[in-house]
Amino acid sequence: MSALRRKFGDDYQVVTTSSSGSGLQPQGPGQDLQQQLVPKKKRQRFVDKNGRCNVQHGNLGSETSRYLSDLFTTLVDLKWRWNLFIFILTYTVAWLFMASMWWVIAYTRGDLNKAHVGNYTPCVANVYNFPSAFLFFIETEATIGYGYRYITDKCPEGIILFLFQSILGSIVDAFLIGCMFIKMSQPKKRAETLMFSEHAVISMRDGKLTLMFRVGNLRNSHMVSAQIRCKLLKG
């Protein structure tokens, strides 16, 4: 058995089976026994080598509503695919909503039908339909300013909507861009270049038995004020 362990390592265990029947049989006299190598079941780690704890919260019930009370931190803790989805969805909905508001103003004032009249002053010049209203919003929100579409002073409701658009755009930009910036600045992938020893040992250190393992940094840059926290599970 020791020779088999030296040959195959600790990933396999030796079991004794009976050739006369299926399954594992207790060893006894008069039985034809055979030895087989069976792969060991790998136990799931409590803490991964990247520092993430494999603990899932269950049976929360109505406590999930607490995550919405701190929406910013909840968005930061989401996975990247959900962050990008919420990022794109929020901007798309906000753009379509504001473009619809400019189209509604042009429609209620009759600018869509009178835009080509020479002596008529519309609320927004050169806005004939919803695509042109959407382009006007993008040009003003992104501060592009081509000069072809512009708001006039004959439209007080347009001035109020323009102020609301500026405030709403600043809030959305601060919330989403701040969330993405904080998420990118988190050093979660820094652990990918940290190597841990495959095995830990117990040895005498300063007259006491001490659990020891090694940690190596693959990068040339030094880690300042690095701290290591360990969790010991005692069965």
Side-chain angles (χ1 to χ4, degrees):
M1 183 176 298
S2 61
L4 291 175
R5 182 174 289 109
R6 287 194 301 268
K7 181 178 180 181
F8 294 98
D10 294 332
D11 294 335
Y12 292 85
Q13 61 180 353
V14 181
V15 297
T16 304
T17 60
S18 174
S19 60
S20 60
S22 60
L24 299 178
Q25 301 291 337
Q27 186 175 1
Q31 290 184 340
D32 187 10
L33 302 179
Q34 297 178 352
Q35 290 183 341
Q36 296 180 357
L37 290 175
V38 179
K40 287 184 178 180
K41 291 184 178 180
K42 292 186 176 180
R43 294 181 297 178
Q44 188 177 8
R45 297 175 60 96
F46 177 72
V47 180
D48 288 336
K49 290 190 175 182
N50 58 4
R52 184 177 63 87
C53 295
N54 293 323
V55 178
Q56 296 181 355
H57 301 283
N59 299 325
L60 293 178
S62 60
E63 300 297 329
T64 54
S65 60
R66 295 178 178 270
Y67 291 98
L68 298 179
S69 61
D70 190 7
L71 185 59
F72 187 83
T73 306
T74 302
L75 292 177
V76 172
D77 293 338
L78 288 177
K79 295 184 178 180
W80 269 108
R81 55 177 176 267
W82 292 111
N83 274 105
L84 294 177
F85 175 75
I86 295 175
F87 186 87
I88 296 174
L89 180 63
T90 303
Y91 271 109
T92 303
V93 172
W95 290 349
L96 292 177
F97 172 75
M98 293 305 303
S100 300
M101 296 298 295
W102 285 110
W103 180 84
V104 168
I105 290 179
Y107 178 79
T108 54
R109 289 173 53 89
D111 295 345
L112 301 180
N113 299 325
K114 301 178 183 179
H116 297 282
V117 179
N119 57 353
Y120 179 75
T121 303
C123 180
V124 180
N126 300 315
V127 172
Y128 313 116
N129 46 27
F130 181 78
S132 59
F134 182 79
L135 289 176
F136 168 73
F137 167 74
I138 294 298
E139 292 170 10
T140 54
E141 181 66 21
T143 64
I144 298 175
Y146 291 119
Y148 182 70
R149 298 179 180 88
Y150 54 90
I151 189 173
T152 61
D153 57 352
K154 303 297 183 180
C155 182
E157 59 269 29
I159 297 175
I160 296 175
L161 181 60
F162 182 76
L163 296 177
F164 175 75
Q165 168 186 321
S166 302
I167 296 174
L168 180 62
S170 300
I171 294 175
V172 173
D173 290 342
F175 189 83
L176 293 181
I177 296 178
C179 177
M180 298 294 288
F181 178 78
I182 293 178
K183 190 170 182 63
M184 287 188 295
S185 62
Q186 289 181 343
K188 289 186 176 180
K189 294 299 182 180
R190 184 63 176 88
E192 299 295 333
T193 55
L194 297 179
M195 299 293 295
F196 289 82
S197 56
E198 186 176 356
H199 301 285
V201 298
I202 298 177
S203 179
M204 191 67 67
R205 183 84 172 184
D206 297 333
K208 297 180 180 180
L209 291 177
T210 306
L211 176 66
M212 296 185 295
F213 58 92
R214 300 183 66 184
V215 182
N217 184 16
L218 298 181
R219 296 184 181 272
N220 294 327
S221 58
H222 297 284
M223 301 180 65
V224 181
S225 301
Q227 297 180 356
I228 298 179
R229 292 178 296 178
C230 304
K231 296 183 179 181
L232 178 62
L233 301 181
K234 300 175 65 176

